Amino acid sequence: MSLCKCLFGRNAVTTLLCGMLWASTPAFAQSGAQVIRGINGSWEAYPQRAAGLGSTARGSLPAPAPVPEPPLKPEHLTKWKADQTRNAELTQKGLPPVTSGMACLPEGMPGMMQGTFPMEVLETPGQVTIIQEAYNQVRRIYLNEKLMAPEDAEPRFSGHSVGSWEGNTLVIRTVGVKDSVRFRNAPHSMNIRITERIRLVNDEFMENQVTIEDPEYLTKPWTWTWMYKRWPGYKIQEYVCEDNRYFEDPALGHQRLRVQ
Amino acid sequence: MSRHKYSTSGLAAVLAILALLAPAPGLAHHSFAGYEPELQIKFSGVVTEFTWANPHVYVRMDAPDKATGKTRRWLIECANPGILNRVGWRFNMVKAGDTITVIVSPLRNGEPAALLKQITLADGTKYSNGGPAGPATIE
């Protein structure tokens, strides 16, 4: 019996029977989707990057290890290290190098999963949606669907993601991240694959084990763990980058504020 | 006001504090390295424009220059609406014509723009720019 007929049965008995059948079926099983696993809600990066960016609540959990250097192939690592050194020197001199964020471009994947501002996770039948407040970034993770081949994936900032629950861990696989997107300034190809393993540590904390694979640029998978702290009741705010006043200095190429 | 006539007394202590309390709001958008990290100046003036928008909130204000006596128009860069809402600001709490007092770090290149550390409204209430403000190095 179709859902349509259930909802629009032509007589009272049919409607009643359909309603009983519907109510006795596990939540969301009607659509073949997974039940909700409790990662719904607002989260902030943990530990907080700085005062003012998040809630005033502090956590007791140890901070995860810092994201390691990208295991770039030697020919890319040399340039990456030189760029990092140069950028640090310029910043020290008050001449910070241009960034994509300066041009109001979003971080994309995986940076948006440890964005500057809080993020919201929405579990709905067949889909997990993650909204990062900064730049109104949204990624939709389709559950139990087949991951497309990287060559078929239209390049996007957040890529294309599918997910599945393995026990209490949500495993998300992502392809199709635009090769102009930079995380930690590391270059990548359109064959990049990102795997995330997200699970609740307890009611208060959520963990994300991130692995990036890109044989064109990396010598081995680049892995680290990010942590999030739940922020009960926090409502994600709008972020439209409408009033950018920064530009690239035409002479020196660094960030400049348009003062007048 | 002259950026070059400030006292250096206590500057080392302020520097040490600021090294720990480096401004972080706006990480997603751009660097704040263009501002003097070790210098905080305090002055009062009249708001000419208040823009509540992303990626950053801006205040334009006219303030008398202590060195020349002439009015100087400043652009004060604040954090973004999201951060400011989280530390208690409201989108309509500043308007043109208000007299405010600010503690700011000016641009290194001498242009009349600065990064907000703390704002005091006409009624005396104080708000941070997300990160904690250190003491003003010069007033």
Side-chain angles (χ1 to χ4, degrees), chain B residues 49-95:
Chain B
E49 189 180 11
F50 180 60
T51 310
W52 182 266
N54 277 298
H56 288 273
V57 171
Y58 289 95
V59 179
R60 273 194 203 281
M61 61 186 292
D62 288 339
D65 187 298
K66 285 176 184 166
T68 66
K70 292 181 181 172
T71 296
R72 201 170 190 207
R73 178 155 292 182
W74 285 83
L75 180 66
I76 309 297
E77 181 168 329
C78 311
N80 86 313
I83 290 174
L84 297 181
N85 275 328
R86 287 195 282 274
V87 296
W89 289 52
R90 292 286 293 151
F91 68 96
N92 55 1
M93 74 180 204
V94 179
K95 61 182 186 303

Side-chain angles (χ1 to χ4, degrees), chain A residues 155-159 176-182 188-190 192:
Chain A
R156 293 178 177 176
F157 283 89
S158 58
V177 178
K178 257 180 200 287
D179 55 11
S180 61
V181 168
R182 288 288 178 272
H188 69 86
S189 77
M190 283 310 300
I192 185 173

Side-chain angles (χ1 to χ4, degrees), chain B residues 99-101 118-127:
Chain B
T99 297
I100 60 170
T101 300
Q118 185 183 80
I119 185 171
T120 305
L121 305 184
D123 67 4
T125 54
K126 291 178 167 58
Y127 293 90

Side-chain angles (χ1 to χ4, degrees), chain A residues 216-252:
Chain A
E216 289 183 40
Y217 279 87
L218 302 178
T219 58
K220 61 176 184 179
W222 184 14
T223 66
W224 66 87
T225 298
W226 274 331
M227 198 71 79
Y228 311 92
K229 187 169 186 297
R230 196 185 284 280
W231 193 345
Y234 180 77
K235 293 173 178 167
I236 297 291
Q237 301 185 54
E238 178 179 270
Y239 188 116
V240 177
C241 200
E242 64 175 316
D243 185 35
N244 183 42
R245 303 189 188 199
Y246 274 77
F247 64 99
E248 181 175 347
D249 180 88
L252 299 175

